[in-house]
Amino acid sequence: MAGIAFTPAGDYRTSYRADTTIFPTRNSRLALWLGIALLCAAPYVFDRYMLTLLVNVGILGIAALGLNILVGFTGQISIGHAAFFGFGAFASAWLHEAFHIPVLLCIPLAGILTAAIGLIFGAPAARLKGLYLAIATLAAQFILEDFFARARWFTGGVAGRLTEPPALGTFRFDSEETYFYLVLVCVIVMFVAASNLMRTRDGRALVAVRDHYLSAEIMGINLAYYRTLSFGIASFYAGVGGALYAHHLQFVSVEAFNILFSIQFLGMVIIGGLGSIMGSLMGAAFMVFLPEVVQSGADAIAGSAVDQMLKIGSNISFLREMAIGAAIILFLIFEPDGLARRWRLIKSYWKLYPYSH
């Protein structure tokens, strides 16, 4: 009708770039900056213990993101992720002590060295898949564990190795407050890099390998190359996370990077959501804070009739491990797409409220 202006309704995207943009709306960009601002204020709000938990979330989130690129985006499997995490931790400490390289530079170099090791152990992925690949990565876990125990020049052997906190000139990141900001910067850089990777041709090729490798091969995608590449990328993220972990504790030992730790990384990916960038961080946060919630619940009922009947106080360590296992099982049954999907559903509900269906 003449004189009436019609406003387009719906979400119109006329290019691939617009369809794959990380922050498609103004509100999403504002939410990002608001979230970063709130995190920057965390050291002024929380105590040191809470900051330590947040630092652990960031470090484990980086490593879990690498595993998610391998498992969630490429469809490969790895049960040795903790070993690569440990290799990055030892590599950064060794580079600093042996060559006197600044710690801030040792962290990315440790990621590169770990990526090289990941490419070596990822070579079987060119021809193996499924259970056979899982066994191969399990072998990598035990091989690296044995290497850590024997290579005293690299790891310090069973005695472990002391590390130094990062420094920028005369400023040292030797407190929870300062290290929190360092980890926050690393988290932002690594997650933005992963998000952009998934928008590139290589990122789309990784997803194609996962969804239907035969169709991907017909389209000209080199399966061996991209399967091996995914191991290298995952190992790089694990190495950076391990280096941050080592310089945070200022001590790294062989016993920390066992098969149980690798299973926990898989749990983070499953709980957060396979094939989700943000889900990796959500899964890491869940795995870090779940034992604290269980501990708080046990402390709350300590001395009560329930405690006397179940004797929870004397079995809290077992209860914490049981809670993690139960959480993984429940997510696999009731929410196999993880926390990331639940978060998307919540956002969609409020976006369409009161007409959501």
Side-chain angles (χ1 to χ4, degrees):
M1 296 175 61
I4 299 178
F6 293 94
T7 302
D11 186 9
Y12 294 94
R13 301 181 184 183
T14 58
S15 67
Y16 185 82
R17 180 174 181 175
D19 189 57
T20 58
T21 183
I22 301 176
F23 304 104
T25 64
R26 180 173 177 270
N27 288 338
S28 63
R29 291 188 291 271
L30 289 176
L32 170 68
W33 291 112
L34 178 61
I36 293 176
L38 291 176
L39 286 173
C40 289
Y44 301 98
V45 178
F46 299 119
D47 57 14
R48 294 192 63 188
Y49 182 71
M50 181 58 69
L51 287 178
T52 300
L53 295 179
L54 293 176
V55 167
N56 288 335
V57 169
I59 293 173
L60 297 178
I62 291 173
L65 176 57
L67 184 61
N68 210 341
I69 292 174
L70 176 66
V71 179
F73 286 99
T74 316
Q76 303 300 295
I77 185 65
S78 175
I79 314 181
H81 201 63
F84 298 108
F85 185 82
F87 188 91
F90 286 118
S92 184
W94 172 70
L95 286 170
H96 176 68
E97 181 176 332
F99 302 101
H100 306 290
I101 301 174
V103 172
L104 286 179
L105 186 57
C106 288
I107 293 173
L109 288 177
I112 294 173
L113 287 178
T114 310
I117 298 299
L119 290 173
I120 295 173
F121 283 104
R127 296 186 176 275
L128 300 178
K129 60 181 180 178
L131 180 61
Y132 299 99
L133 182 58
I135 297 301
T137 58
L138 181 63
Q141 168 76 36
F142 290 121
I143 289 171
L144 288 177
E145 279 190 44
D146 186 68
F147 172 74
F148 294 158
R150 296 176 184 275
R152 295 180 57 87
W153 59 271
F154 184 70
T155 65
V158 294
R161 182 184 287 277
L162 295 174
T163 63
E164 294 290 331
L168 186 60
T170 58
F171 183 81
R172 291 166 60 88
F173 297 89
D174 55 358
S175 66
E176 292 300 324
E177 293 79 8
T178 56
Y179 208 86
F180 171 81
Y181 287 119
L182 175 63
V183 171
L184 178 60
V185 171
C186 292
V187 167
I188 293 173
V189 170
M190 300 296 280
F191 273 73
V192 170
S195 299
N196 281 288
L197 171 64
M198 292 302 113
R199 301 169 64 203
T200 64
R201 181 183 183 278
D202 290 331
R204 298 194 298 272
L206 294 176
V207 175
V209 172
R210 177 199 67 188
D211 290 342
H212 204 293
Y213 70 93
L214 289 178
S215 299
E217 190 173 22
I218 291 172
M219 289 188 295
I221 294 176
N222 189 329
L223 299 183
Y225 171 78
Y226 283 104
R227 284 172 174 170
T228 308
L229 177 64
S230 65
F231 270 92
I233 296 173
S235 300
F236 175 79
Y237 274 77
V240 171
L244 290 170
Y245 176 83
H247 296 294
H248 177 229
L249 295 181
Q250 299 183 27
F251 175 77
V252 57
S253 63
V254 176
E255 293 81 6
F257 312 108
N258 52 29
I259 184 64
L260 179 60
F261 201 8
S262 291
I263 300 301
Q264 288 178 347
F265 275 123
L266 280 174
M268 294 175 199
V269 173
I270 293 171
I271 291 173
L274 290 169
S276 170
I277 300 292
M278 190 52 62
S280 304
L281 194 60
M282 291 180 176
F286 187 92
M287 295 290 278
V288 169
F289 285 105
L290 178 62
E292 303 301 321
V293 173
V294 173
Q295 180 71 62
S296 299
D299 293 340
I301 63 175
S304 64
V306 177
D307 184 32
Q308 294 176 2
M309 179 177 62
L310 300 178
K311 301 200 180 292
I312 294 176
S314 60
N315 296 288
I316 185 62
S317 60
F318 299 101
L319 185 62
R320 294 169 67 166
E321 299 299 332
M322 289 172 59
I324 293 175
I328 295 174
I329 294 173
L330 292 175
F331 269 93
L332 287 174
I333 296 174
F334 298 106
E335 194 59 88
D337 293 328
L339 292 172
R341 178 178 180 273
R342 182 55 49 185
W343 174 243
R344 288 194 297 269
L345 292 176
I346 293 173
K347 288 195 301 181
S348 298
Y349 175 84
W350 289 108
K351 183 178 180 180
L352 301 174
Y353 184 85
Y355 302 106
S356 56
H357 298 283

